[in-house]
Amino acid sequence: MDHTEFRVKAKEMVDYIADYLENIRDHRVYPGVQPGYLHKRLPTEAPQLPEKWDDIFKDVEDHIMPGIVHWQSPHMHAYFPALTSYPSIMGEMLSSALNVLCFTWASSPAGTELETIAMNWLGKLLGLPDCFLNEKNDSPGGGVIQTTASEATLVSLLAARTRALMELASLNPDLQSSELLGHLICYCSDQAHSSVEKAGLIGLVRMRYIESDENQCMRGAKLEEAILNDKAKGLVPFWVCATLGTTGSVAFDNLREIGEVCEKHSAWLHVDAAYAGSCFICPEYRHWLDGVDLADSFAFNPSKWLMVNFDCTAMWVRDSTALHRTFNVNPIYLRHENSGKAIDYMHWQIPLSRRFRALKLWFVLRNYGVVGLQKHIRESVRLAQKFEALVLADQRFDIPQPRNLGMVAFRLKGDNTLTERLLKKLNGRGYIHAVPACFKGVYVIRFTVTSQRTTNQDILDDWNEIKKVASEILVDMFGSENGNIVIHKKPRISLKETRELNATFGTSLLLANSPMSPKIVNGTHVAICDYEQVLSSCAQTFAQLKMEPKDSPEMRRRVRGIRMCGKKFSLDSYMDMVQGLMVEQSLPQCSEEERDDASNGSSPGEKSSVSTSPATSSMTIKHDSNFDMNQLQVPATPSRQYRSKSIDVSLADLKLDEATVSIDIKNNEIVITPTGPKKIDDQVRFNAAEEKLNIGDRINQAFENFQSSLRDNHNETKDKVDDKGDESNSKLTIKGPGSYIKKLIQQFSEGPFESDEPKPDVDKAVSTQSIKDRADAICKKCFHYKGKMNN
């Protein structure tokens, strides 16, 4: 592959990576392959001749991807996170291209110094003591990037062993190091990671496991008891590993107690915080770090939770000279003129060569910033809390240990075999992937929120998968989805019992989004106030209201709903009701916006949530036994207002024989003109308005003054109208959108209405006889009643 082909194929690779991570949710998390599957697909020998890149990459998609466990998937819940991110990937790409070996300062000055700077940044971000930082030339402490937490544990154990052997050799000069080595012993919790045990095996020292308490953490008293017993046997305690965030249940050893014991017995204290160390960038979790000032070394994995791709383990030591004594080799070809003036990281680790890992860590810290990394950690914890709540809500499951951070350890109630079978079946289906843990004989499934792409819906989908598989297992073994667990139903409490329990403070009805779904809650949390003062304040507010308040379709819909319901509402709702009534007194016509709404949609009556016909309204006028069919009745305004600002109008004394009904299509009007001595009499019925308010006798008193002022203003308006003459009182106009008027005419006229017929003249009257049986229905369906007040 030459430069030209690399430019093309590398860009294609970037697109492939971006597409893979963007669509990671579509991949099955755990592969459905068996051991040896790849041996059957690939040749047994390397090719003799070069192959084309396209052929090579095609085999990646065809043979490699089917066997991949997708660690970046939001449905990956096994182990701990092993995340990556775009800035980390770009740092790895650049590091691979540069391919510098940072074993000494001279081999890569930028690589060495950037690692020191990045580790100081990260140490401050975690809140580590200054003794772990390397900001001064005379500072013995500092940070180094190791490959894994397992290597960091081994490095600290070997450094502690060297220190202990040197001290013992000074006290026992006649004994060889191999003889002294047999007296050394180190300690860790029985919940510590397996890498601690492996470090003891490699270091050829005895390992004592301290029994953890009921919360799976190691305590200082147990540790000191074991140390005293071993000292009595002639053994020398030299190293203790405290775990912050155990693998099985993310438990935290008591660091302060352990540190004081180690200080008392001169033992090296190493803190393994491989997973949980990332959470210390959030101040609310740093209480678990109490006692870290007593530690000799501290390590955690940014490659787990901080989205720095593997491998990258951050390790800090209080005294780096202990590492130098253990790993220092100084051949002539590794010496340089600046030796001793700068850090040579080859003396801080087991291997000689090392990659430029600081670059990707530096990229991530800068690209996300402290706020971005904290947000990522907190979101993972929140999602774990959500999953924990889902598990606790199902009585078939149990969480034997408290949840810490982003991992939940849960199990099916009953024998361990049930949980073990559940885990095997979940992994076999491949939709989610998890691993087990066992503490004190309890078999659990570890569910860790790993991916930064995990959402609420992913958690719900994973829980539904777990419930489905659990139900299948329980039905298969016990014949019931609940298995052998007795599910106790919560007793239903009647509304009567609820009221009795809350007799002092009453209850509140919280209406859900779904209609007819009230929820009864205890009302003891509501504010307590003087009811008389509320009434007085209410009356004062009403008196200050403007006579022409702002009006809007939303306000009218709200008032219409209040009047329809007839139930008690808040003070604000009643004030809206009064404003609506004040708006109605001016009898304005429908606005252009409202006409358009009615023209484009259904009729106002059809939009009502109660009924499609005004005749079914509770406010419709009831005809008595003496009802005259020849009498044209304009009903009272229905409780649902049809987007209307009108008030009740009375035409009780108007006969059809004494009036002419004209239809004006051009102006979208129906005009009723008296032909006899009668005049249209419009009256405002305040009693009816009070009934619609339905607020009780005590609040009626608060409205009394307001109504009086409203009547006075209303009478003044009538006097002004009387001065203009009687012509304004000589007819009643029913207005509405043109399409609605046409529907009325077509529905109630003798023949069908044809749009291409000549438009009737305004003065052309429709026969009284032809509309005799339909006039009442027309009036009931009209939009507005436009008339003038008359005493």
Side-chain angles (χ1 to χ4, degrees):
M1 181 181 292
D2 57 15
H3 294 290
T4 302
E5 185 180 6
F6 174 74
R7 291 179 184 274
V8 176
K9 299 305 179 183
K11 292 175 182 177
E12 292 178 357
M13 178 65 76
V14 171
D15 290 337
Y16 180 85
I17 293 172
D19 290 340
Y20 167 76
L21 293 176
E22 184 178 3
N23 302 300
I24 187 67
R25 192 175 278 100
D26 299 335
H27 292 271
R28 171 176 168 151
V29 182
Y30 196 73
V33 297
Q34 298 298 324
Y37 91 99
L38 197 57
H39 292 275
K40 300 176 182 178
R41 298 189 179 195
L42 299 182
T44 57
E45 296 181 355
Q48 295 294 326
L49 299 176
E51 295 185 5
K52 295 181 179 180
W53 174 257
D54 290 340
D55 295 337
I56 298 173
F57 197 74
K58 184 177 183 300
D59 285 344
V60 172
E61 188 68 28
D62 294 342
H63 304 308
I64 303 301
M65 295 302 289
I68 291 293
V69 176
H70 298 282
W71 281 69
Q72 308 308 309
S73 171
H75 304 296
M76 172 68 176
H77 304 293
Y79 314 107
F80 282 127
L83 300 180
T84 187
S85 59
Y86 292 125
S88 178
I89 293 173
M90 294 176 71
E92 190 74 11
M93 290 171 61
L94 182 56
S95 175
S96 298
L98 298 175
N99 200 31
V100 296
L101 303 181
C102 308
F103 45 81
T104 65
W105 182 90
S107 68
S108 180
T112 299
E113 295 191 13
L114 183 62
E115 183 165 337
T116 303
I117 292 172
M119 291 300 293
N120 285 338
W121 282 11
L122 192 56
K124 292 178 181 179
L125 189 57
L126 268 63
L128 295 180
D130 292 340
C131 61
F132 287 113
L133 306 180
N134 189 347
E135 292 188 311
K136 300 178 181 179
N137 293 332
D138 59 347
S139 174
V144 58
I145 299 179
Q146 306 285 6
T147 57
T148 65
S150 300
E151 183 179 4
T153 300
L154 178 60
V155 166
S156 67
L157 185 143
L158 295 178
R161 187 188 69 173
T162 300
R163 187 179 71 175
L165 290 175
M166 292 177 63
E167 293 177 355
L168 289 176
S170 63
L171 298 175
N172 303 277
D174 298 335
L175 297 178
Q176 297 293 324
S177 296
S178 57
E179 297 178 89
L180 296 174
L181 189 62
H183 292 274
L184 298 181
I185 187 170
C186 53
Y187 305 85
C188 69
S189 167
D190 58 2
Q191 297 298 312
H193 193 265
S194 60
S195 61
V196 180
E197 180 183 3
K198 183 181 290 188
L201 295 175
I202 297 174
L204 300 176
V205 293
R206 302 183 189 185
M207 181 74 68
R208 181 84 66 209
Y209 298 96
I210 307 301
E211 182 182 3
S212 57
D213 63 7
E214 65 278 3
N215 293 321
Q216 311 303 316
C217 67
M218 181 171 64
R219 303 300 298 270
K222 283 282 187 180
L223 174 63
E224 185 167 24
E225 180 182 354
I227 288 177
L228 292 176
N229 290 335
D230 290 334
K231 277 189 171 183
K233 299 176 183 178
L235 299 178
V236 180
F238 78 99
W239 184 81
V240 176
C241 179
T243 304
L244 298 184
T246 60
T247 305
S249 60
V250 192
F252 290 81
D253 293 342
N254 194 307
L255 195 55
R256 173 65 62 183
E257 294 179 358
I258 295 172
E260 292 174 352
V261 173
C262 292
E263 188 176 39
K264 180 178 179 181
H265 297 280
S266 301
W268 180 297
L269 174 58
H270 174 69
V271 179
D272 177 18
Y275 163 67
S278 299
C279 80
F280 299 137
I281 67 174
C282 301
E284 61 266 30
Y285 300 125
R286 289 181 189 162
H287 60 277
W288 284 312
L289 270 179
D290 180 37
V292 71
D293 55 297
L294 300 175
D296 293 280
S297 57
F298 178 92
F300 88 102
N301 288 338
S303 59
K304 277 185 167 60
W305 210 358
L306 284 190
M307 297 179 288
V308 180
N309 59 291
F310 186 83
D311 54 350
C312 182
T313 293
M315 178 183 181
W316 291 267
V317 292
R318 177 188 295 272
D319 186 4
S320 61
T321 57
L323 301 181
H324 284 261
R325 287 195 300 263
T326 305
F327 305 111
N328 192 358
V329 290
N330 197 20
I332 189 172
Y333 52 82
L334 295 178
R335 299 173 188 172
H336 57 89
E337 61 274 14
N338 292 309
S339 295
K341 298 180 181 179
I343 295 178
D344 292 332
Y345 279 117
M346 67 178 184
H347 302 315
W348 296 47
Q349 62 179 23
I350 295 173
L352 171 64
S353 299
R354 54 201 327 272
R355 299 191 303 115
F356 194 2
R357 303 185 190 94
L359 197 60
K360 58 188 177 183
L361 175 61
W362 187 56
F363 279 5
V364 170
L365 291 177
R366 294 190 62 186
N367 192 247
Y368 282 94
V370 177
V371 173
L373 294 174
Q374 289 176 339
K375 180 181 178 181
H376 163 64
I377 296 295
R378 289 163 178 158
E379 177 65 9
S380 298
V381 175
R382 185 191 68 81
L383 291 172
Q385 291 173 334
K386 181 179 182 64
F387 181 79
E388 178 188 32
L390 294 172
V391 176
L392 291 175
D394 195 322
Q395 300 183 46
R396 301 174 299 174
F397 291 87
D398 181 33
I399 298 180
Q401 289 296 323
R403 175 204 55 80
N404 282 326
L405 300 178
M407 196 199 79
V408 179
F410 71 100
R411 65 190 303 272
L412 273 172
K413 292 180 179 178
D415 295 338
N416 286 340
T417 54
L418 286 175
T419 306
E420 184 177 2
R421 185 174 175 182
L422 172 62
L423 177 61
K424 289 182 178 179
K425 194 166 184 178
L426 286 172
N427 288 334
R429 290 167 62 90
Y431 300 115
I432 66 173
H433 184 37
V435 293
C438 185
F439 36 84
K440 299 187 184 302
V442 179
Y443 188 94
V444 298
I445 299 175
R446 299 171 68 260
F447 185 97
T448 308
V449 178
T450 59
S451 175
Q452 66 267 44
R453 298 172 179 83
T454 305
T455 64
N456 285 327
Q457 188 59 48
D458 293 324
I459 295 297
L460 292 175
D461 292 342
D462 295 339
W463 175 239
N464 289 332
E465 171 72 3
I466 293 171
K467 288 196 303 181
K468 178 181 178 181
V469 175
S471 296
E472 293 176 356
I473 293 174
L474 294 175
V475 168
D476 182 51
M477 296 190 66
F478 301 100
S480 169
E481 289 186 355
N482 297 327
N484 58 348
I485 304 299
V486 178
I487 305 297
H488 299 284
K489 294 184 178 180
K490 295 182 179 180
R492 296 180 61 88
I493 302 178
S494 65
L495 182 58
K496 179 181 178 182
E497 293 175 323
T498 304
R499 287 172 175 169
E500 292 175 354
L501 293 174
N502 297 275
T504 304
F505 297 100
T507 58
S508 298
L509 286 178
L510 302 182
L511 298 182
N513 291 331
S514 303
M516 305 305 293
S517 300
K519 292 178 173 57
I520 310 298
V521 299
N522 191 324
T524 57
H525 64 280
V526 302
I528 301 176
C529 60
D530 190 335
Y531 196 71
E532 295 295 337
Q533 291 182 0
V534 172
L535 294 178
S536 176
S537 176
C538 177
Q540 293 176 3
T541 303
F542 289 151
Q544 297 173 0
L545 289 176
K546 295 181 180 180
M547 296 307 297
E548 295 182 359
K550 292 183 178 180
D551 183 33
S552 66
E554 292 79 7
M555 178 67 74
R556 274 172 272 156
R557 285 196 294 270
R558 176 176 171 81
V559 173
R560 183 167 64 247
I562 296 174
R563 297 174 68 178
M564 285 173 54
C565 183
K567 295 183 181 295
K568 289 188 176 181
F569 287 88
S570 66
L571 179 60
D572 290 339
S573 298
Y574 284 134
M575 293 177 66
D576 293 342
M577 174 66 116
V578 173
Q579 289 180 346
L581 291 176
M582 293 173 61
V583 171
E584 287 182 354
Q585 68 173 332
S586 58
L587 300 176
Q589 296 185 18
C590 178
S591 65
E592 291 297 328
E593 179 183 355
E594 296 168 309
R595 293 180 187 180
D596 293 340
D597 292 342
S599 300
N600 296 332
S602 59
S603 66
E606 294 171 348
K607 292 183 179 180
S608 173
S609 61
V610 179
S611 172
T612 58
S613 173
T616 61
S617 173
S618 61
M619 294 301 298
T620 302
I621 293 179
K622 297 181 180 180
H623 303 288
D624 56 19
S625 58
N626 298 324
F627 175 74
D628 186 0
M629 291 300 294
N630 293 326
Q631 183 175 353
L632 181 60
Q633 296 288 341
V634 180
T637 305
S639 58
R640 43 200 176 90
Q641 289 295 301
Y642 305 144
R643 298 179 178 266
S644 173
K645 306 176 195 175
S646 63
I647 59 173
D648 296 340
V649 178
S650 174
L651 293 174
D653 297 331
L654 184 63
K655 302 287 187 177
L656 281 176
D657 295 335
E658 300 172 347
T660 300
V661 181
S662 299
I663 300 173
D664 183 358
I665 298 179
K666 181 178 180 180
N667 295 322
N668 304 324
E669 295 179 343
I670 297 178
V671 182
I672 303 176
T673 306
T675 58
K678 292 287 185 179
K679 293 184 179 181
I680 298 175
D681 181 21
D682 296 8
Q683 296 178 353
V684 180
R685 293 199 290 268
F686 286 95
N687 292 335
E690 288 180 1
E691 291 174 1
K692 294 173 185 177
L693 287 174
N694 191 24
I695 57 178
D697 295 333
R698 297 184 66 186
I699 303 209
N700 279 342
Q701 297 176 3
F703 284 97
E704 184 175 353
N705 295 333
F706 170 72
Q707 292 179 358
S708 299
S709 61
L710 190 63
R711 288 192 185 97
D712 295 341
N713 182 72
H714 187 57
N715 293 332
E716 291 177 6
T717 304
K718 294 178 182 179
D719 295 339
K720 294 179 181 179
V721 172
D722 292 340
D723 295 339
K724 294 182 180 180
D726 296 336
E727 183 180 355
S728 59
N729 299 324
S730 62
K731 63 180 180 179
L732 176 69
T733 302
I734 301 172
K735 293 186 67 67
S739 59
Y740 188 69
I741 292 293
K742 291 176 183 179
K743 289 182 179 179
L744 290 178
I745 297 171
Q746 183 173 349
Q747 182 175 357
F748 296 106
S749 63
E750 290 183 339
F753 175 74
E754 298 294 336
S755 59
D756 56 350
E757 290 183 359
K759 296 182 180 179
D761 188 75
V762 178
D763 298 330
K764 183 178 179 180
V766 178
S767 172
T768 304
Q769 186 64 31
S770 65
I771 200 170
K772 181 176 180 179
D773 298 331
R774 303 175 180 86
D776 183 62
I778 293 178
C779 294
K780 288 180 181 179
K781 283 182 172 288
C782 68
F783 261 162
H784 296 277
Y785 305 109
K786 179 184 176 185
K788 301 297 183 180
M789 303 294 180
N790 184 31
N791 293 329

